[in-house]
Amino acid sequence: MSGIQKAIKERILILDGAMGTMLQRYNFSEEDFRGERFKEFPHPLKGNNDLLSLTQPKAIQEVHRQYFEAGADIVETNTFSGTTIGMADYHLEDLVYELNYESARLAREIADEFTAKNPDKPRFVAGSIGPTNRTASMSPDVNDPGFRAVTFDELRIAYKQQVEALIDGGSDILLVETIFDTLNAKAALFAIEEVKEERNIDIPVMVSGTITDASGRTLSGQTVEAFLISISHIPLLSVGFNCALGADQLKPYLQRLSHNTTFNVSAHPNAGLPNAFGQYDQTPEDMQVLIREYLEDNLINIIGGCCGTTPEHIRLIAEVAKEYSPRIVESV
């Protein structure tokens, strides 16, 4: 733990950009997703990006390599949907441990490669823990508001399996991200604490929520302050926001977060808002200008990119971050 704690005091840490955006550049076909191992699998697999850690590992490592070359200190594992709940859509629940283990191992190899080249700038692996496609706080059926598609215990058990595999594969950090329902996140954090206690280890934890729209709330209805209070009982490396909004739209919520917490603050916004075709138009130069405002206002300790961001975005973000000192954590 001392490595990341030391680094975050010395400089603003750079998180990588979007994995999905980069994988789209490969135009992988159904056959590419399947590889030899899943050639005869009876269900469609195209779109299951997590599976590419097994069937196209060189592509996954190449994405990690490009982000490290762009200046990233931390890369996220290719495990955003890596729970039995997420993999149920593809009938691949039995592969969850292997998917997470291999994804963490692939990222670890590249991180170690870059650390060996420059020991003064150690590189870190964040085990990515996504929100799943179910919500524990709300009903998916408007006609039955009391119904829940998943329980807290089901989430806890699924997350625990993912956490164990991410740690075994070599993750330095666990990143509970893109949180739209804080009850889901609390299940993930509970699972992490269970594993830490059982293994007698202390692994840094990052938490990153998602403000869904101009209401300034998460999907489950929490304000910035309510979200912060809900997860502040856990000792965290950082708390922050990612996804849904571009850097300019996200800034006021980061300001509120930064002024109300003694945790380090992270942000990895989208490259603007999606256009009519679902694509992200904000250039690296545009995003750099917006991120500079975060830095001038002393808002962040960790900065990266989410949907639509590429190594080019991260390179310019890393360049501007070098000019500033990390956010000073003041007592609240």
Side-chain angles (χ1 to χ4, degrees):
M1 186 167 183
S2 58
I4 187 79
Q5 293 285 15
K6 183 170 180 284
I8 205 167
K9 287 182 173 69
E10 294 172 347
R11 63 185 188 277
I12 293 168
L13 296 183
I14 307 300
L15 192 65
D16 62 2
M19 174 64 76
T21 301
M22 296 300 291
L23 292 176
Q24 285 170 9
R25 295 181 174 187
Y26 289 88
N27 290 316
F28 285 133
S29 64
E30 176 72 28
E31 289 68 33
D32 294 324
F33 274 88
R34 289 174 174 272
E36 280 301 312
R37 180 172 168 184
F38 301 97
K39 208 168 187 177
E40 307 300 326
F41 195 73
H43 303 284
L45 295 175
K46 187 175 181 181
N48 185 354
N49 283 351
D50 292 29
L51 184 62
L52 295 172
S53 293
L54 301 184
T55 57
Q56 302 292 337
K58 289 182 180 175
I60 300 301
Q61 287 198 310
E62 182 56 32
V63 172
H64 291 323
R65 188 174 282 111
Q66 287 182 53
Y67 279 124
F68 277 138
E69 285 172 348
D73 296 286
I74 307 167
V75 296
E76 301 170 57
T77 56
N78 180 41
T79 54
F80 186 79
S81 300
T83 58
T84 49
I85 294 167
M87 284 298 123
D89 287 352
Y90 297 96
H91 307 274
L92 291 175
E93 297 96 320
D94 292 344
L95 279 183
V96 162
Y97 182 90
E98 185 183 0
L99 282 171
N100 285 277
Y101 179 89
E102 283 300 311
S103 294
R105 187 187 64 79
L106 293 173
R108 176 83 272 145
E109 276 187 10
I110 306 302
D112 290 347
E113 179 186 307
F114 276 82
T115 299
K117 288 178 189 172
N118 183 5
D120 292 335
K121 186 179 179 179
R123 309 300 178 102
F124 303 99
V125 174
S128 172
I129 300 171
T132 82
N133 50 7
R134 300 185 195 175
T135 170
S137 290
M138 298 178 291
S139 171
D141 183 357
V142 292
N143 297 312
D144 187 1
F147 173 72
R148 295 293 181 271
V150 69
T151 67
F152 184 91
D153 268 344
E154 287 169 343
L155 286 164
R156 178 186 61 81
I157 292 164
Y159 280 130
K160 188 173 182 182
Q161 183 183 18
Q162 183 178 28
V163 166
E164 288 175 331
L166 288 170
I167 293 172
D168 291 346
S171 298
D172 301 292
I173 308 158
L174 296 172
L175 169 57
V176 183
E177 65 165 314
T178 321
I179 298 162
F180 58 79
D181 182 345
T182 310
L183 191 55
N184 287 40
K186 286 168 90 74
L189 293 169
F190 192 100
I192 290 168
E193 291 302 304
E194 272 193 313
V195 174
K196 283 165 66 174
E197 187 173 334
E198 288 171 8
R199 297 189 177 202
N200 194 27
I201 59 170
D202 193 5
I203 185 167
V205 179
M206 297 171 62
V207 166
S208 185
T210 294
I211 299 296
T212 50
D213 54 34
S215 70
R217 295 172 181 264
T218 63
L219 188 66
S220 55
Q222 284 189 312
T223 61
V224 171
E225 293 81 4
F227 169 71
L228 179 61
I229 289 167
S230 294
I231 48 91
S232 288
H233 61 293
I234 300 287
L236 299 174
L237 175 70
S238 67
V239 62
F241 291 120
N242 74 289
C243 205
L245 302 175
D248 45 350
Q249 293 90 2
L250 191 61
K251 186 182 175 185
Y253 310 118
L254 276 176
Q255 288 173 322
R256 284 162 57 184
L257 183 68
S258 182
H259 295 154
N260 282 286
T261 185
T262 54
F263 292 135
N264 295 303
V265 171
S266 74
H268 48 298
N270 292 346
L273 295 174
N275 61 26
F277 302 100
Q279 296 171 329
Y280 296 85
D281 298 326
Q282 198 166 81
T283 67
E285 291 77 14
D286 292 338
M287 199 165 180
Q288 185 188 50
V289 170
L290 296 168
I291 297 303
R292 186 183 288 277
E293 293 180 16
Y294 289 11
L295 301 165
E296 287 178 347
D297 290 354
N298 188 38
L299 296 182
I300 50 172
N301 304 89
I302 304 172
I303 184 68
C306 203
C307 304
T309 57
T310 65
E312 291 74 28
H313 288 83
I314 299 305
R315 183 171 287 107
L316 292 192
I317 289 171
E319 280 180 14
V320 73
K322 284 178 187 172
E323 301 172 22
Y324 294 84
S325 298
R327 165 180 168 269
I328 298 166
V329 180
E330 299 169 353
S331 59
V332 177

